[in-house]
Amino acid sequence: MGAEADGQEPKSSPHSPPEVRLLPWTGAEGKPCYLITDEHAGPVSRLADTTESVQLGMGRELLAHADDILPDAPRGELRFLAECLTGALRDALRVADSRGRRLKQLS
């Protein structure tokens, strides 16, 4: 399953290097969660793939909504929108970081 870390990426075994994946959610106190596995299509990997897809889709929808309301939005709505966009950007950057790490592991 996912393992929490204090900002340190888990180390792989010298015998058979497993995949280390940054998961699209955090653990206690906002600490990153990692999945260490040799199975690329396991249930936690599939859940992470689905979660990433949902997060990116929600970000796209939020951006489209922002484009629609920005010209005439009242101040309170702008603050709420900024908070939502910040969360969506955080999710997208976590997905990008995770996928970038996995690409490096393949090379």
Side-chain angles (χ1 to χ4, degrees):
M1 284 285 189
E4 275 187 48
D6 293 321
Q8 298 291 323
E9 193 165 321
K11 305 289 183 208
S12 60
S13 165
H15 298 97
S16 62
E19 176 182 333
V20 178
R21 178 178 183 174
L22 175 65
L23 294 172
W25 53 80
T26 58
E29 301 172 10
K31 294 180 181 177
C33 290
Y34 295 91
L35 173 65
I36 302 170
T37 184
D38 291 329
E39 186 178 343
H40 300 287
V44 177
S45 289
R46 289 192 310 271
L47 177 60
D49 290 342
T50 300
T51 302
E52 287 178 353
S53 179
V54 167
Q55 288 173 331
L56 293 174
M58 288 175 63
R60 279 187 211 94
E61 289 178 22
L62 185 57
L63 187 56
H65 178 65
D67 286 338
D68 290 341
I69 72 163
L70 273 177
D72 302 313
R75 188 174 184 168
E77 284 186 37
L78 288 176
R79 178 170 175 79
F80 180 69
L81 178 61
E83 290 171 356
C84 293
L85 286 169
T86 300
L89 178 57
R90 188 176 293 113
D91 290 342
L93 290 173
R94 179 177 288 282
V95 171
D97 187 27
S98 176
R99 291 181 182 182
R101 290 175 190 217
R102 286 186 282 156
L103 285 174
K104 285 180 186 176
Q105 290 177 354
L106 294 175
S107 57

